Amino acid sequence: EFAMVGKGILDLEEFIAIVYHYAKELEHEIFYVENDQEITFSVSIGFGSGEHAHIKADMALKVAKIHKREYFVYDETMNLREQYKSNI
């Protein structure tokens, strides 16, 4: 896992489009490591913003993986915080 922090003037849709583009590019690449072993990537993305953005993004990522979606955007109305606490 890794995180990207966006600074500047982008709305959420623009930021999602940029990150999604790079994720798709990464998925289309084949990397070769020692002994010509192929490595490929599958990318799932969780988006969070505001206070505790990294925690929200982590919760959104878990939802994306559970539902086999390419990305998921954290929504305050989803009450994921309670679900997150119960899974700790």
Side-chain angles (χ1 to χ4, degrees):
E1 289 186 19
F2 70 93
M4 287 181 63
V5 177
K7 288 187 175 182
I9 305 173
L10 286 176
D11 64 23
L12 183 59
E13 290 77 25
E14 290 173 312
F15 188 66
I16 289 171
I18 291 168
V19 173
Y20 185 74
H21 168 76
Y22 287 115
K24 289 291 130 196
E25 289 291 319
L26 181 61
E27 286 184 335
H28 288 28
E29 289 291 324
I30 298 173
F31 298 89
Y32 296 94
V33 292
E34 54 189 63
N35 300 325
D36 290 328
Q37 182 178 7
E38 286 186 7
I39 301 222
T40 59
F41 289 90
S42 171
V43 179
S44 296
I45 305 168
F47 290 97
S49 62
E51 188 177 359
H52 307 296
H54 63 290
I55 294 170
K56 294 173 183 175
D58 188 49
M59 289 187 277
L61 177 59
K62 287 178 179 27
V63 172
K65 288 179 178 180
I66 288 168
H67 296 286
K68 297 183 181 353
R69 295 177 64 178
E70 294 175 320
Y71 69 89
F72 191 83
V73 179
Y74 180 84
D75 181 345
E76 296 288 344
T77 64
M78 299 176 61
N79 198 22
L80 291 178
R81 191 174 301 270
E82 290 303 316
Q83 291 177 31
Y84 189 73
K85 286 180 185 176
S86 67
N87 287 328
I88 293 179

